[in-house]
């Protein structure tokens, strides 16, 4: 069958995967968004269904005023002896912790902290013992993977943290995962940074504690030499063996806007590539060590069809699963119904690294049309924001000013905050906002109840990219209300991908 990448689209970085019975589960990082650590399930490795999050309670994760792209970094998801474990870093508080659950569709435990620094923690279970790894640095400041044994009940360290492997010399050695296969321990990691130089490297040893011998042809997977190719920044992966015994790597990458437009605004997404173990015990990954947009494979049964949800509405999504808030929400400002949403604004604006009244869904592909009815019942401003971070967002809204209403398009690109257009709409307090997204541009228009419609202008997607804004997130289609007297009703939301 033909597999098309990415297998999970939109801002879902740092995938980690495990298997329980005949089902695969996958977790991603979530930075400043809440709930934290989105979870997915799949029966065939190709079709992934979102099922919830690991961090759903304030007590599990401190997100108050965390900087954008701070908060929840890369997780590792593991299943051992009937129990799921998820370990991650709160990069803002610089704490590593894990949570566990016996029901992945339910709630997870309170956090159990581990006194080892670094990011990208990993858990490895063997013979009743549990080993914890994260990245760190040695006495000379060089990146190294650190390992200690922990008590899985208390999180207490049972051994000192020991350096295991220094990688192959690429910058930002991170994302360690440990696997045992046919008598070899494989220590896989990422190097090169999560941008265009990203790569997957690995080493192996006969002992869990090393010494680790690097794969002679590292990096085993990277797209860093595929200039202009749509998929870039391939790295940070996790291995899984399928029911048929085949190995795969799930990893992050991003899709750049165009061949000569090396920017990405959809965030880091989840990609899949085959892994093949050779007779000498080393493994190769991808297609000539790269990840491609589509490939043929006979490893997945022919009857499996790769499906994709193209339309997202209030009715066919679940608030707690598909939507997210900026940091911890003030619950009283959100009324979530099946077919409509009521938001109450506060003084907190979208320009602050705080928690404005905002609920969003990831932009999952380049070409999309978004429509939503917005009715403003009092003063203030409410609408749709294409949100990268507090300094980079395009706001398209209805606003109350001088006893009249207007539609406003405001572009926020770093220090440049520009009102592109305002159109007075008299006493109309309700509009239908429409956004057409293509690879390179967003086009904004609106329609009034009497059928009148008007285009407000366009804006380039690349100014919302990570290359402009910095950070590790992607564009979220946010519905928002600002100003403490603002109350707005949103209905008939449709986001349709071509
Ligand atoms: C993550 C690090 C990375 O923890 O990005 O791609 C960081 N790699 O490993 C944030 O997601």
């Amino acid at each position: 069958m033909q597999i098309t990448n990415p297998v999970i689209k939109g801002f879902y970085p740092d995938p980690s995967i495990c298997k329980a019975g005949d089902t695969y589960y996958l977790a991603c990082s979530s930075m400043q968004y809440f709930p934290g650590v989105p979870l997915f399930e799949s029966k065939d490795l190709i079709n992934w269904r979102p099922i919830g999050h690991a961090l759903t309670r304030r007590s599990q994760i401190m997100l108050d005023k965390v900087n954008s792209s701070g908060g929840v970094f890369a997780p590792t998801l593991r299943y051992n002896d009937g129990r799921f474990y998820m370990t991650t870093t709160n990069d803002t508080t610089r704490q590593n912790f894990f949570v566990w659950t016996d029901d992945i569709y339910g709630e997870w435990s309170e956090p159990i902290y581990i006194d080892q620094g670094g990011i990208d923690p990993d858990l490895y279970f063997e013979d009743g013992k549990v080993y914890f790894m994260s990245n760190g640095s040695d006495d000379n400041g060089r990146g190294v993977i650190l390992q200690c044994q922990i008590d899985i009940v208390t999180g207490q360290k049972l051994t000192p943290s020991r350096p295991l492997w220094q990688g192959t010399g690429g910058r930002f050695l991170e994302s360690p995962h440990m696997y045992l296969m046919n008598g070899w321990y494989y220590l896989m990691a990422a190097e090169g940074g999560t941008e265009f130089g990203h790569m997957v490297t690995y080493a192996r040893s006969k002992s869990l504690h090393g010494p680790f011998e690097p794969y002679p042809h590292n990096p085993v997977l990277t797209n860093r030499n595929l200039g202009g190719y749509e998929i870039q920044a391939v790295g940070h992966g996790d291995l899984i063996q399928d029911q048929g015994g085949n190995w795969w790597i799930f990893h992050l990458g991003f899709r750049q806007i165009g061949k000569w437009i090396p920017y990405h605004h959809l965030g880091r997404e989840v990609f899949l590539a085959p892994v093949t173990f050779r007779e000498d015990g080393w493994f190769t990954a991808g297609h000539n060590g790269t990840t491609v947009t589509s490939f043929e494979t006979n490893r997945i049964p022919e009857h499996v069809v790769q499906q994709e949800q193209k339309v997202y509405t209030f009715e066919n999504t679940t608030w707690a699963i598909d939507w997210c808030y900026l940091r911890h929400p003030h619950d009283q400002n959100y009324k979530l119904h099946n077919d409509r949403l009521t938001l109450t604004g506060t003084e907190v604006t979208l320009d602050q690294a705080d928690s404005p009244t905002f609920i969003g869904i990831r932009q999952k592909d380049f070409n999309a049309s978004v429509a939503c009815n917005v009715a403003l019942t009092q003063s203030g401003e409410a609408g749709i924001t294409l949100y990268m971070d507090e300094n980079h967002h395009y706001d398209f809204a209805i606003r109350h000013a001088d006893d009249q209403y207007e539609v406003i398009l405001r572009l926020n690109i770093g220090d440049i905050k520009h009102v592109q257009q305002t159109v007075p709409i008299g006493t109309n307090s309700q509009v239908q906002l429409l956004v057409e997204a293509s690879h390179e541009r967003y086009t904004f228009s609106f329609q009034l109840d009497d059928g009148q419609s008007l285009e407000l202008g366009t804006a380039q997607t690349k100014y919302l990219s990570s290359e402009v804004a910095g950070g590790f997130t992607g564009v979220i289609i946010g519905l928002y209300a600002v100003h403490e007297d603002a109350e707005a009703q949103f209905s008939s939301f449709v986001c349709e991908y071509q």
Side-chain angles (χ1 to χ4, degrees), residues 13-14 29 31 72-74 119-120 174-175 193-194 198 236 252 268 472:
D14 304 315
S29 56
M31 313 300 144
V72 178
F73 266 32
I119 59 166
D120 299 354
E174 56 196 17
S175 166
T194 192
H198 214 19
H236 197 122
L252 70 74
R268 297 170 301 157
F472 305 126

Side-chain angles (χ1 to χ4, degrees), residues 13-18 25-29 48 74-78 122 177 236-238 250 270:
D14 304 315
S16 177
I17 182 167
C18 72
Y25 296 96
L26 187 146
C28 293
S29 56
W48 291 92
T76 292
L77 183 66
R78 292 292 180 260
D122 176 75
H177 291 303
H236 197 122
D238 199 3
F250 282 78
V270 180

